[in-house]
Every structure is written in C-alpha cells, then in structure tokens.
Amino acid sequence: MSVAGARGYAPRALAIPAVIGLAFLIVPLAALVARVQWSTFLADVTSEAALSALALSLGTGLVATVLCIIVGIPLALYIARSGPRLAAVLRAVVTVPLVLPPMVGGVALLYLFGRAGWLGGLGLSFSTPAVVLAQTFVALPFLMLAVEGAVRTSGVEYERTAAALGAGRWTILRRITLPLAAPGIVAGVVLCFARSIGEFGATALFAGNRPGVTQTMPLAIYTAFNGAGVTQGTAVALALLLLATAIVVLLLVRGWRPGAAR
C-alpha cells in the first residue's frame, strides 16, 4: 500500500485549521506549565492543605471507582446482551450524566440525599461519602460505556460454543466474556478513576468545600484562585498534578486499547 493510500486523501488545506485546533488545546496547557514556580513546587505540593486535598481526591476516587466496577460491569453486560431497542434506551439513560452539567447532577443528588431530600435521613450530604457519591454519579458512564462497547464488539460466538460444550453461565463469564472484554474494562476503569479525581461541579453542590472533609483537588484549586485556602502557587502545582494524571491516563488507555501499537 502506498504512503498516500495509507494516510488517506484528505485535502492538504485542512492542515491549517487542524494545526489551529491542536494549538488551541496545547498552548493553554503550556501556559499552565510555564506558570509553575519550580523553586517552591515541592513545598507547594507537600503543604498540609495540598496533601489533604490530594489524599482525599485519591481516596474517594478509588472508592468511587470500586463502586463503579461493582455496579457498572454488570450493567454493561446486561445492556450489551439486551435487544437492540432496550439496549438503545438503557444506553441513552446511562449517557445522560455525560451531557448533563455537573452542577445539575449535584442538585439532583442534593434533592435525593440532602436533608430535605427523599433519603435525607441518611445524612450523607456535605460529608466525605457525599464526595464518593458525586464522583460515582459522573464517572460511572465512562466505565459502563467502555465495557459495554468491548463486550458487544466481542460477540457471542465463543460464549455459544462454550455453552454447547456444557459450560455454565458463571464459567462463561469468568473464562470467556470478561477476558475478551479486558482491554475495555481496563480502559474504562482508568477513565473512571481519572474522572472521579477531577470531579468538581457535583461535588461542590452536594458535598461542599470543607478542608479535610470534602475539599478535593479541584475544589482546592478553585478556592485558591478565589483568594482563600491554599496559595495560588499550590493551586498551580495541584493543577499540574492533575494534568500529569490526565497524561498518564491517556497513555494507559492507549496501551490497553484493542489493536493499539505495542
């Protein structure tokens, strides 16, 4: 195959807006890196407020990811093996949090778990568990869609063959379905964790912004740039940590993507 055929036949003039779009994504990140005060970077990221926000983000993000795995993988399997109409409806419902403004999600959680909500007696609002619930709400679709796509793409031929040979449903799930969907599961888990630790809007409304209790990294950054809490130097340092996390996530997703170059 020729080089031109391998690269396609897109008009070369499209390179100009493409470069502009790429610059629009990269230059702001470069500006962020340029503002980092490297002389105080270590002190900024190891300050008490920064470590507290970092530990809370990582801890709650991990718990939220585990919750997403527990309920998201079964949901993804169910949707992938449902009929086309039911699967389309369920997929649309699951996708809602992706297009819903996070603030709206926070309001919805507040009306469900808040003091005056349907489940207000649980006392979950404005607490650390509220952070986990907010993160789970916004991150679950990332895991579910990745797993559902992987399971649906793998088909059912191997499962039917195993069933014909006498394998039970749990054996098929453990030995065939999940291994075939492993790249999608890993990608979904990584994206889910990254979305959890980067969650801001729903957490701010439903959990609040209490240092050491509900103030995650995004909230600490927001607080700093509004003139309270940690210094702006620490905010920039935390923002750089989130940027580094995003890059690692992209690398992991690329490495586990089916057909990715090794």
PDB file of all heavy atoms in Angstrom, residues 59-82:
ATOM      1  N   GLY A  59      -8.297   9.000  47.608  1.00  0.00           N
ATOM      2  CA  GLY A  59      -9.051   8.034  48.404  1.00  0.00           C
ATOM      3  C   GLY A  59     -10.489   7.903  47.952  1.00  0.00           C
ATOM      4  O   GLY A  59     -10.987   6.783  47.711  1.00  0.00           O
ATOM      5  N   THR A  60     -11.174   9.029  47.811  1.00  0.00           N
ATOM      6  CA  THR A  60     -12.573   8.983  47.373  1.00  0.00           C
ATOM      7  C   THR A  60     -12.675   8.521  45.929  1.00  0.00           C
ATOM      8  O   THR A  60     -13.613   7.804  45.564  1.00  0.00           O
ATOM      9  CB  THR A  60     -13.234  10.359  47.527  1.00  0.00           C
ATOM     10  OG1 THR A  60     -12.465  11.352  46.819  1.00  0.00           O
ATOM     11  CG2 THR A  60     -13.340  10.749  48.993  1.00  0.00           C
ATOM     12  N   GLY A  61     -11.697   8.912  45.100  1.00  0.00           N
ATOM     13  CA  GLY A  61     -11.712   8.464  43.707  1.00  0.00           C
ATOM     14  C   GLY A  61     -11.571   6.957  43.598  1.00  0.00           C
ATOM     15  O   GLY A  61     -12.212   6.318  42.765  1.00  0.00           O
ATOM     16  N   LEU A  62     -10.731   6.380  44.456  1.00  0.00           N
ATOM     17  CA  LEU A  62     -10.555   4.931  44.450  1.00  0.00           C
ATOM     18  C   LEU A  62     -11.833   4.224  44.884  1.00  0.00           C
ATOM     19  O   LEU A  62     -12.256   3.233  44.264  1.00  0.00           O
ATOM     20  CB  LEU A  62      -9.400   4.553  45.374  1.00  0.00           C
ATOM     21  CG  LEU A  62      -9.056   3.065  45.457  1.00  0.00           C
ATOM     22  CD1 LEU A  62      -8.659   2.530  44.092  1.00  0.00           C
ATOM     23  CD2 LEU A  62      -7.938   2.823  46.469  1.00  0.00           C
ATOM     24  N   VAL A  63     -12.464   4.727  45.945  1.00  0.00           N
ATOM     25  CA  VAL A  63     -13.714   4.112  46.415  1.00  0.00           C
ATOM     26  C   VAL A  63     -14.800   4.243  45.358  1.00  0.00           C
ATOM     27  O   VAL A  63     -15.551   3.291  45.095  1.00  0.00           O
ATOM     28  CB  VAL A  63     -14.156   4.763  47.741  1.00  0.00           C
ATOM     29  CG1 VAL A  63     -15.517   4.211  48.171  1.00  0.00           C
ATOM     30  CG2 VAL A  63     -13.131   4.513  48.841  1.00  0.00           C
ATOM     31  N   ALA A  64     -14.900   5.424  44.743  1.00  0.00           N
ATOM     32  CA  ALA A  64     -15.900   5.631  43.694  1.00  0.00           C
ATOM     33  C   ALA A  64     -15.664   4.681  42.522  1.00  0.00           C
ATOM     34  O   ALA A  64     -16.611   4.140  41.947  1.00  0.00           O
ATOM     35  CB  ALA A  64     -15.873   7.082  43.221  1.00  0.00           C
ATOM     36  N   THR A  65     -14.393   4.473  42.173  1.00  0.00           N
ATOM     37  CA  THR A  65     -14.077   3.561  41.072  1.00  0.00           C
ATOM     38  C   THR A  65     -14.488   2.134  41.407  1.00  0.00           C
ATOM     39  O   THR A  65     -15.026   1.409  40.555  1.00  0.00           O
ATOM     40  CB  THR A  65     -12.578   3.614  40.749  1.00  0.00           C
ATOM     41  OG1 THR A  65     -12.208   4.963  40.401  1.00  0.00           O
ATOM     42  CG2 THR A  65     -12.226   2.689  39.599  1.00  0.00           C
ATOM     43  N   VAL A  66     -14.250   1.706  42.638  1.00  0.00           N
ATOM     44  CA  VAL A  66     -14.661   0.364  43.062  1.00  0.00           C
ATOM     45  C   VAL A  66     -16.183   0.222  42.976  1.00  0.00           C
ATOM     46  O   VAL A  66     -16.704  -0.797  42.494  1.00  0.00           O
ATOM     47  CB  VAL A  66     -14.166   0.070  44.489  1.00  0.00           C
ATOM     48  CG1 VAL A  66     -14.766  -1.233  45.013  1.00  0.00           C
ATOM     49  CG2 VAL A  66     -12.647   0.003  44.523  1.00  0.00           C
ATOM     50  N   LEU A  67     -16.903   1.257  43.422  1.00  0.00           N
ATOM     51  CA  LEU A  67     -18.364   1.222  43.328  1.00  0.00           C
ATOM     52  C   LEU A  67     -18.814   1.140  41.873  1.00  0.00           C
ATOM     53  O   LEU A  67     -19.758   0.405  41.547  1.00  0.00           O
ATOM     54  CB  LEU A  67     -18.964   2.460  43.998  1.00  0.00           C
ATOM     55  CG  LEU A  67     -18.835   2.542  45.518  1.00  0.00           C
ATOM     56  CD1 LEU A  67     -19.449   3.846  46.028  1.00  0.00           C
ATOM     57  CD2 LEU A  67     -19.522   1.357  46.187  1.00  0.00           C
ATOM     58  N   CYS A  68     -18.145   1.901  41.013  1.00  0.00           N
ATOM     59  CA  CYS A  68     -18.492   1.863  39.594  1.00  0.00           C
ATOM     60  C   CYS A  68     -18.250   0.481  39.002  1.00  0.00           C
ATOM     61  O   CYS A  68     -19.028  -0.001  38.168  1.00  0.00           O
ATOM     62  CB  CYS A  68     -17.685   2.918  38.834  1.00  0.00           C
ATOM     63  SG  CYS A  68     -18.184   4.624  39.143  1.00  0.00           S
ATOM     64  N   ILE A  69     -17.157  -0.171  39.426  1.00  0.00           N
ATOM     65  CA  ILE A  69     -16.871  -1.527  38.933  1.00  0.00           C
ATOM     66  C   ILE A  69     -17.955  -2.502  39.380  1.00  0.00           C
ATOM     67  O   ILE A  69     -18.433  -3.330  38.594  1.00  0.00           O
ATOM     68  CB  ILE A  69     -15.492  -1.992  39.440  1.00  0.00           C
ATOM     69  CG1 ILE A  69     -14.376  -1.170  38.787  1.00  0.00           C
ATOM     70  CG2 ILE A  69     -15.281  -3.475  39.167  1.00  0.00           C
ATOM     71  CD1 ILE A  69     -12.999  -1.448  39.354  1.00  0.00           C
ATOM     72  N   ILE A  70     -18.373  -2.384  40.643  1.00  0.00           N
ATOM     73  CA  ILE A  70     -19.348  -3.323  41.199  1.00  0.00           C
ATOM     74  C   ILE A  70     -20.675  -3.252  40.463  1.00  0.00           C
ATOM     75  O   ILE A  70     -21.309  -4.282  40.170  1.00  0.00           O
ATOM     76  CB  ILE A  70     -19.536  -3.058  42.708  1.00  0.00           C
ATOM     77  CG1 ILE A  70     -18.250  -3.408  43.466  1.00  0.00           C
ATOM     78  CG2 ILE A  70     -20.712  -3.858  43.253  1.00  0.00           C
ATOM     79  CD1 ILE A  70     -18.295  -3.040  44.933  1.00  0.00           C
ATOM     80  N   VAL A  71     -21.133  -2.035  40.161  1.00  0.00           N
ATOM     81  CA  VAL A  71     -22.445  -1.896  39.509  1.00  0.00           C
ATOM     82  C   VAL A  71     -22.328  -1.653  38.012  1.00  0.00           C
ATOM     83  O   VAL A  71     -23.252  -1.972  37.258  1.00  0.00           O
ATOM     84  CB  VAL A  71     -23.257  -0.747  40.160  1.00  0.00           C
ATOM     85  CG1 VAL A  71     -23.465  -1.020  41.640  1.00  0.00           C
ATOM     86  CG2 VAL A  71     -22.564   0.604  39.966  1.00  0.00           C
ATOM     87  N   GLY A  72     -21.199  -1.099  37.568  1.00  0.00           N
ATOM     88  CA  GLY A  72     -21.079  -0.727  36.165  1.00  0.00           C
ATOM     89  C   GLY A  72     -20.844  -1.899  35.240  1.00  0.00           C
ATOM     90  O   GLY A  72     -21.419  -1.955  34.141  1.00  0.00           O
ATOM     91  N   ILE A  73     -20.007  -2.850  35.637  1.00  0.00           N
ATOM     92  CA  ILE A  73     -19.734  -4.001  34.779  1.00  0.00           C
ATOM     93  C   ILE A  73     -20.986  -4.857  34.582  1.00  0.00           C
ATOM     94  O   ILE A  73     -21.311  -5.230  33.446  1.00  0.00           O
ATOM     95  CB  ILE A  73     -18.557  -4.822  35.332  1.00  0.00           C
ATOM     96  CG1 ILE A  73     -17.251  -4.015  35.215  1.00  0.00           C
ATOM     97  CG2 ILE A  73     -18.431  -6.151  34.589  1.00  0.00           C
ATOM     98  CD1 ILE A  73     -16.028  -4.733  35.731  1.00  0.00           C
ATOM     99  N   PRO A  74     -21.734  -5.188  35.649  1.00  0.00           N
ATOM    100  CA  PRO A  74     -22.986  -5.926  35.417  1.00  0.00           C
ATOM    101  C   PRO A  74     -23.966  -5.166  34.524  1.00  0.00           C
ATOM    102  O   PRO A  74     -24.621  -5.765  33.662  1.00  0.00           O
ATOM    103  CB  PRO A  74     -23.552  -6.116  36.831  1.00  0.00           C
ATOM    104  CG  PRO A  74     -22.350  -6.085  37.719  1.00  0.00           C
ATOM    105  CD  PRO A  74     -21.440  -5.072  37.102  1.00  0.00           C
ATOM    106  N   LEU A  75     -24.067  -3.847  34.729  1.00  0.00           N
ATOM    107  CA  LEU A  75     -24.963  -3.052  33.890  1.00  0.00           C
ATOM    108  C   LEU A  75     -24.513  -3.079  32.433  1.00  0.00           C
ATOM    109  O   LEU A  75     -25.328  -3.210  31.509  1.00  0.00           O
ATOM    110  CB  LEU A  75     -25.019  -1.616  34.398  1.00  0.00           C
ATOM    111  CG  LEU A  75     -25.863  -0.628  33.588  1.00  0.00           C
ATOM    112  CD1 LEU A  75     -27.305  -1.098  33.503  1.00  0.00           C
ATOM    113  CD2 LEU A  75     -25.783   0.770  34.195  1.00  0.00           C
ATOM    114  N   ALA A  76     -23.208  -2.966  32.221  1.00  0.00           N
ATOM    115  CA  ALA A  76     -22.677  -3.007  30.860  1.00  0.00           C
ATOM    116  C   ALA A  76     -22.947  -4.357  30.200  1.00  0.00           C
ATOM    117  O   ALA A  76     -23.322  -4.417  29.017  1.00  0.00           O
ATOM    118  CB  ALA A  76     -21.171  -2.723  30.883  1.00  0.00           C
ATOM    119  N   LEU A  77     -22.762  -5.433  30.946  1.00  0.00           N
ATOM    120  CA  LEU A  77     -23.042  -6.766  30.413  1.00  0.00           C
ATOM    121  C   LEU A  77     -24.514  -6.922  30.050  1.00  0.00           C
ATOM    122  O   LEU A  77     -24.860  -7.491  29.008  1.00  0.00           O
ATOM    123  CB  LEU A  77     -22.634  -7.831  31.431  1.00  0.00           C
ATOM    124  CG  LEU A  77     -21.138  -7.998  31.692  1.00  0.00           C
ATOM    125  CD1 LEU A  77     -20.905  -8.902  32.890  1.00  0.00           C
ATOM    126  CD2 LEU A  77     -20.447  -8.565  30.453  1.00  0.00           C
ATOM    127  N   TYR A  78     -25.371  -6.407  30.908  1.00  0.00           N
ATOM    128  CA  TYR A  78     -26.810  -6.510  30.657  1.00  0.00           C
ATOM    129  C   TYR A  78     -27.200  -5.737  29.407  1.00  0.00           C
ATOM    130  O   TYR A  78     -27.970  -6.229  28.569  1.00  0.00           O
ATOM    131  CB  TYR A  78     -27.589  -5.987  31.860  1.00  0.00           C
ATOM    132  CG  TYR A  78     -29.086  -6.128  31.717  1.00  0.00           C
ATOM    133  CD1 TYR A  78     -29.711  -7.354  31.906  1.00  0.00           C
ATOM    134  CD2 TYR A  78     -29.869  -5.028  31.371  1.00  0.00           C
ATOM    135  CE1 TYR A  78     -31.089  -7.481  31.757  1.00  0.00           C
ATOM    136  CE2 TYR A  78     -31.238  -5.146  31.224  1.00  0.00           C
ATOM    137  CZ  TYR A  78     -31.839  -6.373  31.416  1.00  0.00           C
ATOM    138  OH  TYR A  78     -33.195  -6.499  31.263  1.00  0.00           O
ATOM    139  N   ILE A  79     -26.672  -4.530  29.246  1.00  0.00           N
ATOM    140  CA  ILE A  79     -27.005  -3.723  28.071  1.00  0.00           C
ATOM    141  C   ILE A  79     -26.450  -4.369  26.802  1.00  0.00           C
ATOM    142  O   ILE A  79     -27.123  -4.422  25.764  1.00  0.00           O
ATOM    143  CB  ILE A  79     -26.455  -2.291  28.231  1.00  0.00           C
ATOM    144  CG1 ILE A  79     -27.172  -1.584  29.386  1.00  0.00           C
ATOM    145  CG2 ILE A  79     -26.624  -1.496  26.947  1.00  0.00           C
ATOM    146  CD1 ILE A  79     -26.652  -0.196  29.668  1.00  0.00           C
ATOM    147  N   ALA A  80     -25.215  -4.870  26.882  1.00  0.00           N
ATOM    148  CA  ALA A  80     -24.582  -5.471  25.704  1.00  0.00           C
ATOM    149  C   ALA A  80     -25.326  -6.703  25.219  1.00  0.00           C
ATOM    150  O   ALA A  80     -25.301  -7.016  24.021  1.00  0.00           O
ATOM    151  CB  ALA A  80     -23.138  -5.834  26.024  1.00  0.00           C
ATOM    152  N   ARG A  81     -25.988  -7.405  26.132  1.00  0.00           N
ATOM    153  CA  ARG A  81     -26.681  -8.635  25.755  1.00  0.00           C
ATOM    154  C   ARG A  81     -28.198  -8.447  25.663  1.00  0.00           C
ATOM    155  O   ARG A  81     -28.935  -9.417  25.534  1.00  0.00           O
ATOM    156  CB  ARG A  81     -26.352  -9.738  26.762  1.00  0.00           C
ATOM    157  CG  ARG A  81     -24.879 -10.142  26.758  1.00  0.00           C
ATOM    158  CD  ARG A  81     -24.479 -10.718  25.420  1.00  0.00           C
ATOM    159  NE  ARG A  81     -23.086 -11.178  25.392  1.00  0.00           N
ATOM    160  CZ  ARG A  81     -22.123 -10.577  24.722  1.00  0.00           C
ATOM    161  NH1 ARG A  81     -22.393  -9.475  24.034  1.00  0.00           N
ATOM    162  NH2 ARG A  81     -20.889 -11.060  24.730  1.00  0.00           N
ATOM    163  N   SER A  82     -28.663  -7.202  25.726  1.00  0.00           N
ATOM    164  CA  SER A  82     -30.091  -6.925  25.573  1.00  0.00           C
ATOM    165  C   SER A  82     -30.436  -6.756  24.102  1.00  0.00           C
ATOM    166  O   SER A  82     -29.559  -6.619  23.240  1.00  0.00           O
ATOM    167  CB  SER A  82     -30.466  -5.649  26.336  1.00  0.00           C
ATOM    168  OG  SER A  82     -30.259  -5.799  27.728  1.00  0.00           O
TER     169      SER A  82
END
